[in-house]
Structures are given as structure tokens and as C-alpha cells.
Amino acid sequence: MKWNPDSVLNVLGQTSYIDDVAEPRDILQAVIVPSPSAHGRLLRIDTQAAGQKYPGAHFLTAADIPGENQIGNNLPDETLLVDGEWHFCGEPIALVLAPTRSEARRAAALVKLETEELEPVTDPRVAAERGLFILPPRTMRAGAVEKAYARCAHVIEGRVDSGGQEHLYLETQGAIAWPSESGGVRIVSSTQWPTGVQKASARILGVPMNRVEVETTRIGGGFGGKEDQATAWGCLAALGARVTGRPVKIYLNRHEDITYTGKRHPYSSDFKIGLDGEGRILAFEADYYQNSGGVCDLSPAVLARTLFHAVSAYYVPNVRVTGYMCRTNLVPFTAFRGFGAPQGIFVVEAALAKAAEKSGMPVLELQRRNLLKAGDTFHYGMPVEECRTDQSVSRVLENCKWEKLRKEIDSFNRQNRSKKRGAAMLPLCFGISFTKLLMNQTGALVHVYNDGSVTVSTGGVEMGQGLGRKIAIIAAKSLGIPVEWIRVESTRTVTVANTFPTAASSGTDLNGMAAQLACAEIRKRLIAVAAGCHSEAKAGSAAPGLVDYNICDGEVTRSGKPIGLSWNELVARAHSERVDLSAHAFYSTPGLFYDDKLENGSPFAYHVYGAAVVTATADVLRGTFTIDEAYIVHDAGDPIDLLVDMGQTEGGFVQGLGWAVLEDLRFDDEGRLQANTLSTYKVPDIHFVPGMNVEFLTNVPNPKAVLNSKAIGEPPLMYAIAGYFAVLDALKAARPDVEGFYDLPMTPEKALSFLTR
Ligand code: MTE
Ligand code: LUZ
Ligand code: MOS
């Protein structure tokens, strides 16, 4: 089968999401009463009037929580329902349940709140001045920056800002919970992390984890927005179901989802970069003021990834980078594809752009001169291996015919006054693994049914990224049967337990490897049956000749020749010989270690490399622009499914372009999101997408991951940073006298303000 069957269902609109689950007759629909402002204190809730008007409605508050009113995973700073102070606009204060959603909404609108307003903080630098931090700052160092500046020909400082980003998954947040006879609940949740929903719900209900079952069939996109941010909705449904004894569904509409839920972290940063006369970076320093939002959520992990990617694909001998998790009164900023790395990479690229401006050296030369190579060491102490920066950059410059392109652009710009073109290159180096060591583990459970069909369950969640397809291919290859015979099951906490989110691009690396191990175990048993010696094999003494047996395309072979025993016959024989046709396997990434005190170690299994060139044309009278072409050369290892990896590369890039030049996540000074609908928050559409020229490096097997593949979910997003600099390059052709400014996204509005400076 050429196409990913999941993609076919998606395209035909046949996939089933939370809102497609058939609703039982007695179901209650839930909505929240949101906090009315960004910062305040709840003094009293009055549901009397609402209850009189809607006698069928239920009103749940913090007092109705049977367990602990706490869902914070990294820090206990996040209540499920406000009890005292609230920290952002749209925080759940009460849960209202009614037979229909519109009734619940009308009842919620009648709930009266007695409150006290507190001053909101929205700017991370203001929060830092006031000492409002989630956790103490974190610093990574290499060499000695101060000494290095003495040897620099150019020392440049500057400020860089980058905005947040709304995930805009197609399926909004939601969950359905059924009370179960065990005193717990069964939850169907649109989450990247079923175990997270399970654990938090158990805490809320005050029951052990074994009373809470969570199932996720697939989600309509997550992009990081359902790594931790799906948990609250699962818990609210669970609470409603437990208290009322009826099934409860909560499903946000788009406006609610955009307003209430976390997004990519905005950052404001200061940098200092020092270069010698040849353009080699000798020192780099940065202070990142991360706007962490109202609660901790994943902010520490996101910040860690910023620090790990502070000098991106460059070698810098002397580094000092510090991150501040600034507590503000905005939504809890959270995981979003790239997870802090795009924010960090934008800073060092801005520093290089400014260094080019000040030193007169072309930025491309500065970039190339400083590329990482094998034998270098990352600033966190990990040796650089299998480095493909140079190879990718050379190849992408070839593909876009850089010299010719530059000449064409220059002559276009000489001939045109109102339109200018620009281009920029970006090298990529992205570390793969959760930076929190413990998260790099998962399991798989494989059943071969006695008719020969196979199901594979893992801890991984399908969110459109093709994980299910990749797992099916891995299982088919390891069992030696056609991929059509494999079914990948929904993700359930009773099938594979104690998992972590499907995130950090490592879904296939982890779950694919676990599935492969489980399949290998079953295959070993079946081969023993084929060789007529399964009991000996069980006893551990491999019978002679066992190695000659194989399973290929659903047929048993011996020394490469079919022996007239099909997969189905083999499975039936094994079953009649009472051989276990199921296997569980566990996988944890080997070789990872990190010393948090020394900020030193090998936190990543490997790195993903690549390079992009992006071109743009700006209307320098209006500030409008188009992104014209994108050339990407990417290291995808040996792709498990080429089409899936192509889709991830193009999709990730376009999503990144939205962040870089389009999506303006604007809050007012009171901490209210102004861009809270699709008419005020503009995302890329098909007309916005540039010509895409994607090439994968060939003959680059990656022995560190399953079937020599490479993680692909997040890295391509960062190529879009070249889009920002391509537009800036075009603008500078009109205004070479204006200093570059680094305030992402480069919206037409900002472009115009640059042009009219
Ligand atoms: N692709 C689609 N279609 N939908 C998604 O939600 N999430 C991205 C990426 N690609 C996402 C996606 C993010 S943020 C991550 S971390 C990875 O997929 C997660 O899946 P993987 O680890 O299996 O690649
Ligand atoms: N999530 C997480 C991630 O918890 N830890 C990570 O390191 C990470 N990296 C990328 C995306 N999500
Ligand atoms: Mo992706 S941000 O790791 O869910």
C-alpha cells in the first residue's frame, strides 16, 4: 500500500475524534466558568440564580473535588478549579454540567462571581524585574567568555524578541468520561499523554491509578498543545462523571480553545557575540526572558531545550547562556513543535545577522565559517558525531544555485524600486531525546491472533504524524509479513502502562523500537515452532539449524527457500502447541546521561541536521510580501515511510513560517488575548505556501534509531527562520541605512514600520 491509511481516512473526513464518539442518552455536556480577567482572587461563587433557572444543571467547584485539587506535573502550582487566586484569563473556576451544551453555557453565564482584581503582569522583563520566577534561572557555560572578548575584532550586542504561537490543531481539546463500577472512571481523551491524564485524574478523584483508564484512538493534531495542556479537560470530565454518576463530555469550541489553552512561549532576549577578524565566533552570551505564563506547565523543559540549542548548528568555544522562567498572567505557555529551540535559534541567527551588518562580512560566510563539524564538542559537553551541517549547507546552496540566485536578486533589486527580493540560508542541528532522562521510555504489546492477524499497541499517540503507519511497517518487517496484516491499536493505559507523552519527535524512535522488540520475541518463538523444536528453544538450547529458518512475505523459508509453510499455518501450529502468541516489550534509550549541577553530559541520542534556503519578494511601499521558494536539504536517515517524512518536512516548515512571518499572537496590557478567532489570528493557507523543493540526504543510515531512521516531527519547523531573514533581506535592499531588527513574527505591519523608519 502506497498511502498511509491514516492519511487517507483524514483526507476523506472518516477519522473518528472525540466529537464523533456516539453519545449515550444520559450524557451531560460540560462547560467551564472561566476566570474573568488575567489576575484576581475568587471570594465567593453564587450559583443560586443559575440553579433556579436551570434545575437540570450541576455546578461543581473546587469544594467538590474528592481528591487533591492539583494537576501540576512539574510543580504543584496548577489547580484544576480556582481556589483563591487565579493566574490567567480563562482559568477554570467552576464546571457546569447540563443535558445540552447550550443549556450548560446559558447556566454558566448566570453564575455570579464575587472577586477581587489583582494587578496583571504580561511582560516577561517586568516579571523578571519583580522577581516573579517559576524556578531559579538556569545557566549553561563552556570556556570563558570574558577572556575571549579580549581577542575579538567585533563585539556586538542586541535584543531579540519572538512571539507566541497558537497550535490550531484541527480537533480542539476535549474528553469524555464514564463512571466505572470500580469507583473510578474510563476516559477517552484527545491527549498526547494518556498516562498524564490518568495520573492527574486519579489525584483529582483521590483514587489509585488502577481505577482510571484512559484511551486515545488518535488525535486531530497536537503539535505539543496536548502534551500537558490536554490534562485539565480529561480531569474535568472525570470529575463531572464521578460526582454525577453519569457520562460527561467536555469539548471546547474554537474560540474557547484559543482563549483558554497554552501556546508557544514568547521570548525576549539579550545577546552579546564576539568574532575574530576572520569571522570566527569566539564568544556568545545570551539572557532569555521566557514568558512562562501563569503556571509552570512544561516551561522548565522548554527552557532547557532553548539553552541546549543556544548556538544552533555552530561551534562556539566560549558560551554563557542563562534562561529566566518569568511568571506572568498569560495562558500557561507550553510545548509547541520545536519546544524552545526555535526561540533560541532565532537569537543566535539574529546575532550573526547583526554581526554581518557591523563587520561587513556576508552573513552566509559567517554562518559557513562557524558550522559544527565532527570532533567538536557541544557547549553542554556532548561530542559532535555524524555531523552533516557542511554537507547539507553545500547541497542546499547547489540546489538553489545560490551564486546565480544572488546575482538575479541583486539585478532585480537594482531594476525595481517598489519591489525587492531577498534570500537567506539556515543550517539546522536539533537534538533528539527528551531532555528529561526519565521520559525516554515506553512499552509495546503485540498479539498474534490464531488466524494470523496481528495487533500492535504501544504508548505512542497517533496525531497525524504517521506514527501508526511507521509502527505497522516496523512490525511487518520484523515479523516477515505484509503490512496489511498488522493493525495498530488505540493507545490505552491498561495495555501499555506508565508511558510519557508522544513528543520530542521521538514517538517512532521509542515506540517503534519497543514494537520491534516485542515482534522479535514472537518471531523467535514461531521460528522455533517452524523448526520443530520450540520446547528446546524454550529451554534455552537453540537447536542446530534454527538460524536457517526465516519468515519472508508471510512464508516460512529455510536457507532462503520456502518450505511450504505459510504464516497462518505456522501461527495455527504454534497455537496448537500452546505457544504464547503475545509479547510485551520495554524500551528505554541507551547511553543518555546528564549532570544537572555541572550542566554537562550527553542528553541526546543523536542530532538531526539539515539546511534551508528561503527566498521572498517584498512590496516595499506597502510592507506586504510573499515567500517564494523554499529549498530544504534534510537528514532523515533511512526513512521508514518516505511520503510521511516528506509530509512532516513540508508541514513543519509551513507551520514554522506561520510563526516566523504571519501569526500575531497579541495580548492586551490586561492580559486578554486579542487575536482569539481565525479572523484575527492569521495562519498560513495554501496560497501562502511557497514552492517547496525538499531533498533528503541519501545513504545516511542512523544506527541510533529503529530501522536506521531519524526522528522528523519537529526539526523542519526551524527552517522557517530563514523565511524571517529572507523578508528582512528584501526590506534591507530598500533601506540599507536601517539597522536590522529582530522582532518575530515579521508581519507586514512590522515590515512597514521598518521601511518607514
Ligand atoms: N504532525 C501532525 N500531522 N500533527 C501533529 O500534531 N506534532 C508534531 C510532529 N508532527 C504533529 C505532527 C510534534 S510537536 C511532534 S513532537 C511530533 O510530531 C510527535 O510525533 P513523533 O514523535 O511520532 O514524530
Ligand atoms: N517535551 C518534553 C518535549 O517534555 N521534553 C523535551 O525535551 C521535549 N522536546 C521536544 C518536544 N517536546
Ligand atoms: Mo512536540 S512539541 O514534542 O509535542
Side-chain angles (χ1 to χ4, degrees), residues 221-224 337 463-465 467 502-508 648 713-714:
F223 306 109
R337 209 172 194 171
M463 58 187 104
Q465 87 280 41
L467 174 68
T502 302
S505 305
S506 57
T508 301
Q648 286 293 296
E714 298 172 280

Side-chain angles (χ1 to χ4, degrees), residues 56-67:
H58 302 253
F59 303 87
L60 310 187
T61 65
D64 296 301
I65 293 175

Side-chain angles (χ1 to χ4, degrees), residues 13 21 58 92 111 170 202 327 384 425 451 587 594 603 622 679 707 713:
V21 175
H58 302 253
V111 171
L170 279 178
R327 197 188 281 276
V384 177
M425 190 280 288
D451 69 349
Y587 182 74
Y594 198 73
R622 293 175 178 82
S679 54
L707 296 180

